[in-house]
Amino acid sequence: MGSAAKARTTVEVGADGVALITIINPPVNSLALDVLQSFKDNYEEALRRNDVKAIVITGANGRFSGGFDISAFGSLQEGKMVQAKPGFISVEIVTETLEAARKPAVAAIDGIALGGGLEVAMACHARISTSSAQLGLPELQLGVIPGFGGTQRLPRLVGLTKALEMMLMSKPIKGEDALSSGLVDAVVSPDDLVRTARQWALDILDCRRPWVRSLYKTDKLEPLGEAREVLNFARAQARKQAPNLKHPLVCIDVIEEGIISGPVAGLFKEAEAFQELLHAETCKSLVHVFFAQRGTSKVPGITNLGLVPRRINKVAIVGGGLMGSGIATALILCNYPVILKEVNEKFLQAGIDRVRANLQSRLKKGKMTKEKFEKTLSLLKGVLDYESFRGVDMVIEAVIENVSLKQQIFADLEKYCPPHCVLASNTSTIDLNLIGERTKSQDRIVGGHFFSPAHVMPLLEIVRTQKTSPQVIVDLLDVGKKIKKTPIVVGNCTGFAVNRMFFPYTQAGLLLVEHGADIYQIDKAINKFGMPMGPFRLVDLVGFGVAIATGVQFIENFPERTYKSMLIPLLQEDKRAGEATRKGFYIYNDKRKASPDPEMKKYIEKARNISGVKVDPKLMKLSEKDIVEMIFFPVVNEACRVLAEGIAVKAADLDIAAVMGMGFPPYRGGIIFWADSLGSKYIYSRLKEWSNVFGGFFKPCPYLAERAARGAPLSLVEQVKSKL
């Protein structure tokens, strides 16, 4: 029997002679080292026992297994767990103990069989699943490849094309799809799962069903020439879609090795490649992001007080523009009834139409049925006054960035909303104390800053003032979780954490251009680094109106480190306001495709003349590395200030904010994690050098200077006066 420890496997032998081995490691039955050792011990015992004819493997609490324990990655990377090397697990446990056993084994899969969990199941001689079970190999999301034989068994069970899709896209499939593709042998109800698996195992023993060792199956594999074509196409796609990533190409190479040299050679190449990738920066970065994302909802002084989120039955939204309609869409998609308020019938209808269009997009893509579409849209009600706000539990204000307008709205909300109602603002830059200064409800005023488009972008920045009650934060965290957002809780200041941290992103670009760098080279270098778009393409996308409105906030609050460029106002004077007007830093065709605009030179010249800036010949021939550093090091510098002031309490929260709010490449681990890979001394010295030439915009902050002097990482957040 397994040990009495929490993480273990148990074995029970029934009167039918079938041993049921159950994986137990809540919540997802992850395959920690002690679980794997227990599994091996129990399996070997079942093989030795004369009263055991066959074996069924399942997981406790309706889940098969979520895969290898990711928390062990750190120890593996540091070489502390030599006995857990994938070669040992893949060959000795999965292949030699399980697959090569002389007694048939059947996997009974419910809930999830992901990563190592599915790899264990694929080594069984048959698989029975429920229709709702999810089966997949998502290892590439962590910068590694499947390490328990998945690269060899999956192609042999489902064919090369399907296997590549599942692995390279980390795309799980459900039970019915798994059945039609050959990954499982039958789909049954959860109640019949174990019983069917037991009988199936006995049928294999009695030769009534085939005894299949998936590692040696060949009927689903294409002929060698055809297989090479498929693999080469996959390589071309991987290079195109993820040019900075090595591990998808390694995965394809390992699969190819098994096809050319046989599955055993493939297994050993897989183990070797896994070890190499495990120690690479990409894996360390993605594992950091994995845990950082899960840690954002743990907020000291808020989530550890034992508070229970209150039930939010109905939400009201003020403003049906792009943001308001996106937030409304996110809420109704998760079954929250929503009241949408606008100032007149025309604006209200436009807001409702935007929500409808968002849902229709899902309908067209097959993500929603017509029935679900109608039901979801029925949760939205449009109004022109505050009367129906008397019965809501939360309001989210999403109007334009105008201080006096927001102040008036919050004064009105206080009059009409019930005393328990959470009063949230979607402002991206304006100080919440300013917004709520005409009210007596500062304890329930909170920032609920969504990112555009709000029904798509995964981040929710929850902003707390000194007066916001912890209960209100807990309530908004709960709503954020229910509408599938990743929340970060931050303190109150101009721009909060995300926009404040990334404001220098565009500013640095403007400074470089006015001093001689090329707009399009900058965007190209930043895009190549891994950002979805460079600073100038981004400004075109959000619109010059937004850029100027936020710029004014920063000039007023941080004048000593704001680069004041006339370039955007000059463009706006000529009715160029970004992508919406088909002209900004780029020109756009009917399909919104961006092209460089030769006319930009005259605007840059004019801006230089007004600013009195002289061209620096060095900036005209910047390397890609210099461009990346001159754009991002000021962002790192501002992130350090955000940490120093206690606006964010964890550096990891800023990493998630950068990845999920601004599109910073996750395989670089987030803004602070990436900065620490370069070192505080190096970043400080570069900023110091540039500040001597270009002034205060690049001046290193005291937090960065102090870390550099000690050679300490920026992520080491020590005792600072927290704004949380």
Side-chain angles (χ1 to χ4, degrees):
M1 293 288 287
S3 69
K6 183 180 168 188
R8 67 195 194 282
T9 63
T10 58
V11 60
E12 292 172 47
V13 181
D16 57 359
V18 176
L20 181 69
I21 295 178
T22 305
I23 303 164
I24 305 170
N25 189 11
V28 296
N29 297 329
S30 60
L31 299 172
L33 186 59
D34 49 357
V35 174
L36 285 163
Q37 189 58 55
S38 168
F39 176 80
K40 186 174 187 286
D41 293 344
N42 280 335
Y43 209 91
E44 286 172 344
E45 181 196 332
L47 293 176
R48 282 194 304 270
R49 284 174 61 163
N50 293 329
D51 59 339
V52 173
K53 300 176 186 175
I55 298 160
V56 167
I57 302 166
T58 193
N61 305 314
R63 292 185 177 97
F64 187 77
S65 171
F68 188 65
D69 181 12
I70 298 164
S71 62
F73 271 40
S75 299
L76 280 168
Q77 284 159 348
E78 291 162 21
K80 293 178 183 173
M81 294 167 65
V82 179
Q83 73 273 41
K85 283 187 175 177
F88 162 76
I89 297 164
S90 175
V91 177
E92 193 169 319
I93 298 179
V94 179
T95 304
E96 292 176 357
T97 303
L98 172 51
E99 192 174 47
R102 63 189 184 277
K103 295 178 183 179
V106 175
I109 301 166
D110 194 10
I112 50 173
L114 299 173
L118 179 58
E119 290 176 287
V120 166
M122 287 193 293
C124 292
H125 308 111
R127 285 151 296 286
I128 314 298
S129 165
T130 60
S131 61
S132 61
Q134 288 198 67
L135 303 92
L137 296 177
E139 285 89 346
L140 269 76
Q141 289 184 336
L142 294 172
V144 291
I145 62 171
F148 296 177
T151 61
Q152 305 307 307
R153 290 187 179 88
L154 188 61
R156 286 167 170 78
L157 285 167
V158 303
L160 194 50
T161 304
K162 183 76 173 176
L164 284 164
E165 179 192 347
M166 287 178 68
M167 283 186 266
L168 297 179
M169 296 173 69
S170 294
K171 191 176 177 183
I173 57 175
K174 289 207 167 171
E176 295 294 346
D177 193 1
L179 177 63
S180 62
S181 65
L183 185 53
V184 301
D185 300 279
V187 171
V188 299
S189 71
D191 291 341
D192 290 334
L193 182 63
V194 172
R195 183 185 59 76
T196 305
R198 297 179 89 105
Q199 187 55 53
W200 203 285
L202 292 170
D203 286 350
I204 292 173
L205 185 71
D206 295 338
C207 301
R208 287 196 294 267
R209 293 194 186 276
W211 185 316
V212 179
R213 291 191 168 98
S214 56
L215 191 63
Y216 299 97
K217 255 173 73 71
T218 56
D219 58 304
K220 284 284 185 84
L221 290 179
E222 293 85 343
L224 189 56
E226 205 178 306
R228 277 200 162 122
E229 280 181 30
V230 172
L231 291 163
N232 286 335
F233 177 76
R235 278 191 188 95
Q237 290 296 103
R239 286 191 184 104
K240 186 178 170 185
Q241 290 167 9
N244 293 338
L245 298 180
K246 176 189 169 189
H247 64 286
L249 298 172
V250 172
C251 185
I252 296 167
D253 290 347
V254 169
I255 294 167
E256 187 171 51
E257 175 75 10
I259 291 168
I260 293 169
S261 306
V264 175
L267 280 183
F268 283 105
K269 186 170 175 97
E270 178 193 83
E272 186 185 299
F274 184 97
Q275 277 301 317
E276 190 180 321
L277 292 169
L278 183 71
H279 293 87
E281 286 306 314
T282 298
C283 176
K284 290 173 185 174
S285 298
L286 289 168
V287 169
H288 168 72
V289 168
F290 178 88
F291 287 112
Q293 186 182 347
R294 280 146 187 80
T296 60
S297 56
K298 293 184 177 76
V299 189
I302 295 173
T303 54
N304 55 356
L305 300 178
L307 295 167
V308 177
R310 294 174 294 185
R311 188 172 167 79
I312 305 294
N313 294 305
K314 189 180 283 186
V315 182
I317 295 170
V318 183
L322 194 65
M323 288 305 299
S325 58
I327 296 166
T329 306
L331 287 160
I332 62 175
L333 276 169
C334 297
N335 298 314
Y336 281 100
V338 171
I339 295 168
L340 183 65
K341 182 192 177 298
E342 259 298 356
V343 291
N344 60 41
E345 196 64 53
K346 182 187 168 189
F347 285 0
L348 180 60
Q349 193 54 51
I352 291 169
D353 287 346
R354 283 189 194 97
V355 176
R356 183 181 282 108
N358 291 339
L359 296 180
Q360 278 169 339
S361 171
R362 293 178 72 85
L363 188 63
K364 280 178 195 168
K365 291 172 184 170
K367 293 181 178 177
M368 178 181 265
T369 63
K370 183 71 179 162
E371 185 188 359
K372 176 72 173 162
F373 170 87
E374 298 293 350
K375 191 179 173 187
T376 303
L377 195 58
S378 72
L379 291 168
L380 182 70
K381 178 190 169 191
V383 299
L384 297 173
D385 57 43
Y386 288 110
E387 278 305 316
S388 50
F389 280 43
R390 298 185 190 279
V392 301
D393 304 302
M394 180 177 285
V395 179
I396 302 170
E397 166 272 309
V399 303
I400 57 169
E401 295 288 71
N402 179 299
V403 175
S404 57
L405 174 61
K406 289 180 189 283
Q407 286 175 333
Q408 183 57 55
I409 287 168
F410 274 79
D412 291 338
L413 291 175
E414 190 175 46
K415 290 177 201 164
Y416 286 93
C417 297
H420 72 275
C421 181
V422 174
L423 306 178
S425 173
N426 179 56
T427 180
S428 57
T429 50
I430 303 170
D431 190 315
L432 287 174
N433 290 324
L434 203 56
I435 289 172
E437 72 177 12
R438 293 188 197 170
T439 73
K440 293 173 184 166
S441 301
Q442 278 95 342
D443 62 327
R444 55 190 176 124
I445 290 177
V446 65
H449 178 211
F450 291 77
F451 291 76
S452 185
H455 59 294
V456 176
M457 291 293 278
L459 189 70
L460 172 61
E461 190 176 32
I462 298 175
V463 187
R464 184 189 187 197
T465 72
Q466 296 283 9
K467 293 177 181 174
T468 309
S469 114
Q471 180 66 60
V472 164
I473 301 291
V474 168
D475 294 344
L476 192 48
L477 277 166
D478 186 56
V479 171
K481 186 179 174 185
K482 284 175 177 162
I483 62 172
K484 302 178 176 68
K485 301 295 179 193
T486 295
I488 58 160
V489 177
V490 300
N492 180 42
C493 67
T494 299
F496 317 126
V498 183
N499 279 346
R500 178 171 162 192
M501 182 168 66
F502 267 84
F503 184 70
Y505 182 63
T506 306
Q507 291 259 302
L510 290 166
L511 183 151
L512 292 183
V513 165
E514 284 199 10
H515 286 80
D518 180 77
I519 284 174
Y520 308 112
Q521 278 185 331
I522 290 171
D523 273 7
K524 192 178 173 186
I526 298 302
N527 195 236
K528 199 172 170 184
F529 173 78
M531 293 293 284
M533 56 188 72
F536 298 103
R537 182 67 187 84
L538 180 65
V539 172
D540 271 3
L541 181 70
V542 300
F544 290 5
V546 173
I548 287 173
T550 54
V552 166
Q553 291 289 326
F554 280 84
I555 288 167
E556 285 177 5
N557 290 278
F558 313 114
E560 76 289 349
R561 59 178 185 273
T562 305
Y563 182 74
K564 299 173 190 68
S565 169
M566 284 301 294
L567 191 48
I568 292 177
L570 284 171
L571 289 165
Q572 213 177 25
E573 270 178 27
D574 272 8
K575 306 271 187 299
R576 300 174 74 117
E579 190 181 317
T581 60
R582 303 283 175 90
K583 279 189 174 184
F585 289 104
Y586 293 80
I587 45 176
Y588 298 85
N589 65 13
D590 293 346
K591 293 180 179 175
R592 296 277 177 107
K593 188 173 185 288
S595 301
D597 187 357
E599 284 193 16
M600 280 309 304
K601 287 176 183 172
K602 70 176 186 185
Y603 292 104
I604 295 165
E605 278 298 327
K606 202 170 177 183
R608 280 177 189 149
N609 290 337
I610 294 169
S611 307
V613 169
K614 288 182 180 174
V615 171
D616 183 338
K618 287 180 190 168
L619 295 195
M620 294 176 76
K621 46 184 186 219
L622 281 175
S623 67
E624 286 181 350
K625 175 179 173 287
D626 284 338
I627 289 172
V628 166
E629 292 180 357
M630 292 185 90
I631 294 289
F632 278 114
F633 286 4
V635 176
V636 172
N637 202 23
E638 199 62 39
C640 287
R641 291 187 181 99
V642 168
L643 287 172
E645 293 169 25
I647 300 298
V649 288
K650 300 196 294 283
D653 285 353
L654 295 185
D655 287 333
I656 293 303
V659 168
M660 295 192 158
M662 296 303 297
F664 193 85
Y667 55 82
R668 297 191 190 278
I671 192 73
I672 300 289
F673 189 91
W674 171 73
D676 276 341
S677 74
L678 300 173
S680 54
K681 280 186 176 179
Y682 176 70
I683 294 170
Y684 173 81
S685 68
R686 293 290 273 161
L687 284 168
K688 188 79 177 155
E689 177 192 330
W690 300 327
S691 65
N692 291 337
V693 179
F694 301 107
F697 176 76
F698 286 111
K699 187 182 176 185
C701 70
Y703 180 100
L704 176 55
E706 186 269 331
R707 293 297 184 281
R710 290 194 286 138
L714 301 177
S715 56
L716 184 67
V717 184
E718 293 159 324
Q719 293 300 313
V720 289
K721 192 180 177 188
S722 176
K723 295 279 178 84
L724 286 167

